[in-house]
Amino acid sequence: MPALSMFFGIIVRMQSEKGGKHNTPHVHALYGNNEIVVSIDGEILEGNFPNKQTKLLLAWIAIHEDELKANWQLLSNGDGYFKIEPLR
């Protein structure tokens, strides 16, 4: 699963999931031993993070919504992906 961005110990990944478990564009994120799945609309679909890291991830998703949608489309079409700037 390609890593799109990394910031403050959070690794954000996305993969093509045609016919997959989650039927909406989303990201998977890792922080330590925690994993969370969040839709591009900001809905937590699965898992959990500490509160601070959840807020950071949701802010990053909101800032980069258009880029995330473009990456979702690219991955769904099998056309690769591009990196997205981290939070600073």
Side-chain angles (χ1 to χ4, degrees):
M1 185 177 322
L4 301 180
S5 191
M6 291 182 263
F7 51 89
F8 304 116
I10 299 169
I11 301 169
V12 183
R13 299 174 179 225
M14 182 183 280
Q15 70 183 24
S16 172
E17 291 192 5
K18 290 183 180 180
K21 183 176 180 180
H22 307 289
N23 293 319
T24 187
H26 64 278
V27 296
H28 295 250
L30 303 169
Y31 178 76
N33 292 326
N34 299 309
E35 183 171 357
I36 193 168
V37 180
V38 182
S39 74
I40 293 174
D41 296 331
E43 178 186 354
I44 297 172
L45 303 174
E46 189 176 317
N48 59 57
F49 263 13
N51 192 40
K52 179 180 177 181
Q53 283 70 27
T54 299
K55 288 178 182 179
L56 290 169
L57 178 61
L58 292 174
W60 181 85
I61 289 171
I63 292 166
H64 297 288
E65 182 178 355
D66 291 339
E67 293 162 286
L68 289 164
K69 287 179 180 177
N71 260 328
W72 183 264
Q73 193 63 44
L74 287 170
L75 286 164
S76 294
N77 293 334
D79 294 330
Y81 69 99
F82 58 90
K83 300 273 187 179
I84 300 175
E85 285 292 316
L87 278 179
R88 297 183 194 266

